[in-house]
Amino acid sequence: MEPSGSLVFSASYFDGLTSRDRQAEVRVQGTDLVVSSETLEARYPLSAVGIEPPLGRQRRVLKLPGSARLETDALEAVAALELRLGRNVGLTRVQRLEARWPVALGSLVGLLICAVLFVLYGLPAVARLAAAITPPGIMATLDAETVRAIDGRYLKPSALSANTQARISAEFRQMALKRGGPYRFRLLFRDGGELVGANAFALPGGSVFLTDELVRLAHDDREILGVLAHEIGHVEHRHAMQQIYQGLGLTLAFSVVAGDVTSAASVAAAIPALLLNSGYSRGAETQADDDAGRWLMQTYGTTRPLQDLLKRLIEQDGPETHDRVLDMLASHPGEAQRLSHLRAIEAAGKGATP
């Protein structure tokens, strides 16, 4: 830049007719851009000169009338010209920030932190909201499809007697009726086999699977009903829908953004495996235990039935890992924490009894 304030810089001039370039001096005089070389002297109104947006440390390009163009490494001079003309102001500021590696590194770290925070807190919050507003009819339809998929891949027909199934079903219906709500609860008896074993789990619309192995592990119906009260809690708080939205949401989003319809369809088919293989969050399990604990206290005056069955499951599956660091990082509570929580519910309930 000259002392007078006029801009002068060197550039390669292309006439738009051939690929040959000519070294030229570029000068801004008043409202004109003057290009001078040994064989050229041209003047262009600045209003007719286009300036391509900056891109990192790449050469700047000025488009001249008649398909001619200038390419230059005089980044500061072109930036000053843009500022004078009010062109690419925002992009120029971004380019300057990008050129400073501490700013670029800080931006990258900030982006990674935001991504982690979104996965840890944002995605669960969005999943909770989506689950809360999902109509019960949608969840009932999802139940029907998921039951067929689970029966076809993971479970076998129950071998329990008709009398046993009828007795437990009647007690389950009575409990579900007292809980109320918009859900159409139904109890499905299945043989869990080696893959699922002693287990119970609920689908979003109110279908609750109960395996023969869990019924045989229980010493009485109170223990079974304690587990079923826990599963009803998962349904009422829509934990399964949250799990589906949270587990598949990002994959679905990426599929939709990429236009991969086939992947989106296969994601829907993965819901049964997701419900079977993914544990609920620490908060969800605690919330369901709260519901089961209150129901047990109101019905039997103790949470021992659910505690005893949990202890038997621990003995059957082996001791859990007791590592303080791993416990802190775990997304769902271990059996020991659940037992401690149920004992606390019982102590609080008895303490509140006059």
Side-chain angles (χ1 to χ4, degrees):
M1 184 182 299
E2 290 187 337
S4 61
S6 62
L7 290 172
V8 179
F9 55 93
S10 298
S12 298
Y13 172 80
F14 297 86
D15 59 13
L17 301 175
T18 67
S19 59
R20 187 171 69 88
D21 66 314
R22 281 176 279 182
Q23 291 303 307
E25 180 185 82
V26 180
R27 183 185 300 272
V28 177
Q29 291 183 343
T31 59
D32 293 335
L33 186 77
V34 179
V35 180
S36 304
S37 71
E38 293 180 354
T39 59
L40 174 69
E41 182 72 22
R43 179 180 292 269
Y44 304 94
L46 284 171
S47 59
V49 176
I51 305 176
E52 291 192 351
L55 182 62
R57 301 296 297 176
Q58 298 294 316
R59 302 187 83 193
R60 300 302 306 272
V61 177
L62 283 70
K63 294 183 176 178
L64 306 176
S67 301
R69 57 191 279 147
L70 294 168
E71 294 186 5
T72 180
D73 293 318
L75 307 185
E76 293 297 328
V78 176
L81 178 59
E82 287 176 314
L83 183 61
R84 181 180 298 183
L85 299 177
R87 308 263 189 91
N88 302 327
V89 176
L91 292 173
T92 300
R93 289 174 180 167
V94 171
Q95 188 270 338
R96 287 178 177 173
L97 290 175
E98 288 177 342
R100 299 175 184 174
W101 70 265
V103 176
L105 180 60
S107 299
L108 178 61
V109 172
L111 183 62
L112 291 175
I113 291 174
C114 289
V116 171
L117 291 176
F118 175 73
V119 171
L120 291 179
Y121 303 104
L123 186 57
V126 172
R128 282 195 296 274
L129 176 61
I133 62 177
T134 300
I138 297 295
M139 294 189 287
T141 302
L142 183 61
D143 270 26
E145 297 296 328
T146 307
V147 167
R148 276 194 287 272
I150 289 177
D151 281 340
R153 284 184 247 170
Y154 302 102
L155 301 175
K156 299 176 182 177
S158 172
L160 295 176
S161 69
N163 287 338
T164 299
Q165 293 188 34
R167 186 188 72 248
I168 298 174
S169 293
E171 293 173 317
F172 174 76
R173 280 195 300 272
Q174 187 176 10
M175 177 172 61
L177 281 174
K178 290 181 180 177
R179 301 286 285 266
Y183 307 97
R184 301 177 65 180
F185 288 103
R186 59 171 179 161
L187 187 59
L188 304 171
F189 295 91
R190 297 291 187 272
D191 179 353
E194 294 184 359
L195 183 61
V196 178
N199 210 334
F201 56 94
L203 302 184
S207 301
V208 180
F209 283 94
L210 178 64
T211 67
D212 295 358
E213 290 80 357
L214 188 63
V215 175
R216 296 190 186 103
L217 189 65
H219 286 181
D220 56 45
D221 288 356
R222 298 193 314 166
E223 295 182 353
I224 297 172
L225 292 173
V227 172
L228 296 178
H230 175 93
E231 296 304 324
I232 287 177
H234 280 312
V235 174
E236 292 177 334
H237 295 292
R238 303 199 172 193
H239 292 155
M241 281 309 302
Q242 293 177 32
Q243 188 182 15
I244 291 171
Y245 284 128
Q246 189 170 336
L248 304 181
L250 283 178
T251 308
L252 273 174
F254 288 142
S255 299
V256 171
V257 170
D260 188 353
V261 179
T262 303
S263 293
S266 64
V267 163
I271 289 176
L274 175 72
L275 293 175
L276 279 174
N277 298 324
S278 300
Y280 285 117
S281 69
R282 182 188 296 267
E285 290 291 1
T286 302
Q287 199 172 27
D289 276 340
D290 282 340
D291 285 10
R294 281 196 297 270
W295 182 84
L296 287 167
M297 290 299 295
Q298 292 169 0
T299 307
Y300 305 122
T302 177
T303 63
R304 289 301 297 270
L306 185 53
Q307 291 185 48
D308 291 342
L309 190 53
L310 276 175
K311 290 176 184 174
R312 232 166 286 132
L313 282 168
I314 296 172
E315 293 171 359
Q316 175 180 279
D317 297 338
E320 61 180 324
T321 301
H322 293 287
D323 185 290
R324 292 181 62 85
V325 176
L326 291 179
D327 285 348
M328 291 174 62
L329 297 177
S331 60
H332 56 276
E335 288 83 354
Q337 291 172 291
R338 292 187 61 191
L339 286 171
S340 176
H341 184 59
L342 288 170
R343 285 193 290 267
I345 292 174
E346 179 162 338
K350 289 183 175 178
T353 302

